[in-house]
Amino acid sequence: MFGRRINPRLIKLHRPYSVEEVARTLGVHKNSVRSWIKAGLTTVDRSRPALILGHELRAYLESKRKSAKRPCPPGTLYCFKCRLPRAPAMGMVEAICQNATTGNLSAICEVCGTMMHRRARLDAIGTTMPNLDVQIREAEPRIYERSAPSLNCDNRKDQ
């Protein structure tokens, strides 16, 4: 069972916190804060109650979050069902442009068959998806830019 993600921005930088105040602010148990102190979170001194400076607590939480991140290796997308980075099925990836520089990559997982997604820069698709067939899909033109109306158009003259 996964716990709730802790937001380090709830901590004020220029304020000292006690263990109980940190636990109340972040919504964790006091023993969790004490285990952070044992793991390397610095306190003002070794007296009781332990005081923790806000900027040190925020830096510790941000470094802890950054060390837990696992970036996908090249040629893979993250499958939420398998909970692992997986190669796309048949080596096919579809890129949907969001703006001029970035887009969403989507593919089917070769193990479980669910959709996988990954955000990527369009100019770096060659390095993030080497040796794969990437199809870049452009957005459909607006209705006034089309040469013929859409199939669902009710503006027929034959009625």
Side-chain angles (χ1 to χ4, degrees), residues 78-95:
Y78 189 79
C79 178
F80 285 105
K81 188 172 183 181
C82 299
R83 296 188 185 264
L84 291 170
R86 299 276 189 193
M90 298 183 289
M92 294 175 51
V93 178
E94 184 179 33

Side-chain angles (χ1 to χ4, degrees), residues 20-77:
E20 291 80 14
E21 289 173 334
V22 171
R24 195 175 331 114
T25 303
L26 297 176
V28 296
H29 197 270
K30 293 185 283 188
N31 291 342
S32 298
V33 180
R34 290 188 182 111
S35 68
W36 295 342
I37 293 171
K38 288 179 184 175
L41 177 62
T42 57
T43 59
V44 173
D45 55 1
R46 290 289 177 191
S47 65
R48 295 276 181 177
L51 289 178
I52 305 163
L53 296 178
H55 66 276
E56 291 180 2
L57 177 60
R58 185 184 282 188
Y60 176 79
L61 292 174
E62 287 173 350
S63 68
K64 186 176 174 184
R65 177 182 277 186
K66 190 177 284 187
S67 68
K69 287 190 175 185
R70 297 174 298 174
C72 289
T76 61
L77 288 90

Side-chain angles (χ1 to χ4, degrees), residues 64-155:
K64 186 176 174 184
R65 177 182 277 186
K66 190 177 284 187
S67 68
K69 287 190 175 185
R70 297 174 298 174
C72 289
T76 61
L77 288 90
Y78 189 79
C79 178
F80 285 105
K81 188 172 183 181
C82 299
R83 296 188 185 264
L84 291 170
R86 299 276 189 193
M90 298 183 289
M92 294 175 51
V93 178
E94 184 179 33
I96 302 168
C97 301
Q98 296 295 318
N99 54 33
T101 59
T102 59
N104 290 332
L105 303 177
S106 60
I108 298 173
C109 178
E110 65 182 353
V111 176
C112 65
T114 58
M115 288 298 291
M116 303 183 297
H117 301 280
R118 181 176 180 175
R119 186 99 169 140
R121 289 190 337 257
L122 295 177
D123 59 349
I125 286 180
T127 58
T128 55
M129 296 292 151
N131 303 327
L132 294 176
D133 182 24
V134 179
Q135 299 173 352
I136 299 177
R137 186 171 71 173
E138 298 291 328
E140 293 184 14
R142 292 193 166 89
I143 198 161
Y144 59 85
E145 295 173 351
R146 295 181 187 171
S147 60
S150 65
L151 296 174
N152 296 333
C153 183
D154 290 336
N155 298 332

